[in-house]
Amino acid sequence: MPSSAGLFAHVARAASTVSVFKTASSSAVAPGNTPGSRIQDESPHSVAARAMEAVQSALRNESCSDGVVGHRSETFARIRLHFGRSDNHYRRSLAQSQHRLINADQAAGKSSAFFIFTPDGRYCVKAIDPSEARTLLWMLDDYEAYVASHPLTLLPRLYDLFEVRLQEQGSVVWLLVMGNALGGRNECSLRFDLKGSTHGRVASAKERSKGTGAVLKDLDFVNFGCALRGADAEADAFLGACSEAVS
């Protein structure tokens, strides 16, 4: 599985009815939940920008000098429907302009991956290694069967996989499209990447310097005195989903 399989927990600030209505009417994501910077402003000619432009051209059925291959497209379309995402809705979101980019040196993880977020906050596009792509394609049928029978699963929502061949750079980029778990209308004040381990699981000073945009880790969760709270039925459902996801 890609490294994004870590379970994200977030603490959301309560928003007033007015601000929620304003956000909902203009966008599906609160301003504070839009990480990174606009890709057109910061890196218009980067590998990330060129790869994303190629995918957008392919989704619009437009010609492009770069080659794009969508792997197992029909299977991914069914998976999106399992999660309530129609093909038109999906294409419209990815075809928008003003995408936001988190470069590899800005990301919280240890990999060299970059991340691109759609303006509506619904999707995250992550660069992955060819080995991760092969593993995903190998397990995709099992993944589809699982999410079909577990609609409330906490596993990452994997929506598409593209192989982009950039002519000018002479390189191949694999892009995985996922649901953005932190793209809601309620603004997140704290974000945690929880893996159930304590070894080395503390955010670096560089990561913490990002303020409310930082992605914290397991020991930070403990040190902040955080807890996951809910009614008994909600807690049982949550723990049951966690157990199923790792079994």
Side-chain angles (χ1 to χ4, degrees):
M1 287 288 293
S3 59
S4 57
L7 171 64
F8 280 87
H10 70 275
V11 180
R13 285 199 292 261
S16 68
T17 302
V18 173
S19 63
V20 169
F21 177 79
K22 179 180 179 181
T23 303
S25 63
S26 59
S27 174
V29 60
N33 293 348
T34 53
S37 54
R38 293 198 312 171
I39 193 170
Q40 292 86 351
D41 294 341
E42 298 296 327
S43 308
H45 304 296
S46 65
V47 167
R50 289 296 302 273
M52 193 64 207
E53 287 174 2
V55 169
Q56 288 178 304
S57 295
L59 291 172
R60 299 188 192 114
N61 295 317
E62 298 174 350
S63 61
C64 177
S65 59
D66 299 311
V68 179
V69 177
H71 289 270
R72 300 291 300 275
S73 298
E74 293 183 358
T75 302
F76 278 113
R78 291 195 301 270
I79 291 172
R80 292 195 296 269
L81 285 177
H82 287 316
F83 290 120
R85 299 298 171 93
S86 70
D87 192 60
N88 287 338
H89 175 283
Y90 167 73
R91 289 173 177 268
R92 186 165 60 248
S93 290
L94 262 69
Q96 295 181 81
S97 58
Q98 310 302 330
H99 287 76
R100 303 186 72 85
L101 170 69
I102 296 181
N103 282 312
D105 58 347
Q106 299 171 317
K110 296 180 180 180
S111 71
S112 58
F114 59 78
F115 298 82
I116 298 172
F117 293 85
T118 57
D120 60 14
R122 291 187 172 95
Y123 301 98
C124 169
V125 183
K126 179 187 178 184
I128 64 174
D129 292 332
S131 60
E132 291 180 302
R134 288 192 294 269
T135 299
L136 173 57
L137 292 171
W138 173 77
M139 58 170 280
L140 191 60
D141 290 332
D142 289 337
Y143 176 82
E144 181 188 10
Y146 185 86
V147 300
S149 59
H150 298 78
L152 300 180
T153 180
L154 297 176
L155 289 178
R157 300 189 172 192
L158 311 179
Y159 290 142
D160 222 339
L161 179 65
F162 295 100
E163 180 183 1
V164 184
R165 298 182 177 274
L166 299 175
Q167 299 298 323
E168 184 175 333
Q169 286 84 352
S171 58
V172 177
V173 180
W174 288 85
L175 297 179
L176 172 63
V177 183
M178 304 178 290
N180 179 20
L182 301 180
R185 292 168 181 159
N186 291 332
E187 189 167 326
C188 295
S189 56
L190 293 173
R191 297 170 172 83
F192 296 93
D193 176 10
L194 302 180
K195 297 187 182 298
S197 171
T198 57
H199 179 69
R201 297 297 297 163
V202 61
S204 65
K206 175 184 175 182
E207 185 64 23
R208 293 196 302 273
S209 69
K210 299 176 184 178
T212 58
V215 178
L216 307 174
K217 299 183 179 180
D218 299 67
L219 286 176
D220 301 306
F221 188 84
V222 174
N223 294 334
F224 272 68
C226 296
L228 299 175
R229 296 184 175 89
D232 289 344
E234 294 173 334
D236 289 344
F238 177 78
L239 292 174
C242 289
S243 178
E244 289 178 348
V246 300
S247 61

